[in-house]
Amino acid sequence: MRETEQRRQAIREAAERRGLKVEPHGRNAWRIHGKGVEVIAADLAAVDMHELRPPKPGKPWRITHRGAG
C-alpha cells in the first residue's frame, strides 16, 4: 500500500473511532462531519488529525476546506 493510501485509511479510521461520518461530497471530495466537526477535503490524505477534534467549549465550530495539492 502506498503512503498516501495508508494516510487516507488512517484518517478514515481515526474519524470513525471518534464517531464522525466520512462520506463522498460531490465528484472529487470527501466530507467528514459530526460532533461539531465539519471538514470538506479533496483528498482524505490532506486532512490533519487535529482537524478531527471538536472545537473547545465556548468556541464557535469551524469549517475547513482543503484542496488537492
Side-chain angles (χ1 to χ4, degrees), residues 40-43 46-47 64-69:
I40 298 174
D43 188 356
V47 176
T64 304
H65 298 279
R66 290 288 179 143

Side-chain angles (χ1 to χ4, degrees), residues 26-42:
R27 286 183 66 183
N28 299 316
W30 291 91
R31 179 180 180 217
I32 302 172
H33 62 98
K35 298 185 177 181
V37 174
E38 180 78 21
V39 178
I40 298 174

Side-chain angles (χ1 to χ4, degrees), residues 3-64:
E3 184 177 333
T4 54
E5 287 296 325
Q6 290 175 340
R7 175 88 175 134
R8 288 181 188 122
Q9 187 65 28
I11 292 295
R12 181 183 292 273
E13 290 172 359
E16 290 172 353
R17 271 195 314 272
R18 289 175 167 91
L20 305 174
K21 293 182 182 180
V22 179
E23 47 191 41
H25 185 74
R27 286 183 66 183
N28 299 316
W30 291 91
R31 179 180 180 217
I32 302 172
H33 62 98
K35 298 185 177 181
V37 174
E38 180 78 21
V39 178
I40 298 174
D43 188 356
L44 288 177
V47 176
D48 291 325
M49 288 288 191
H50 78 274
E51 293 178 286
L52 301 179
R53 292 182 296 190
K56 294 180 181 177
K59 301 281 184 175
W61 60 282
R62 63 186 180 271
I63 297 178
T64 304

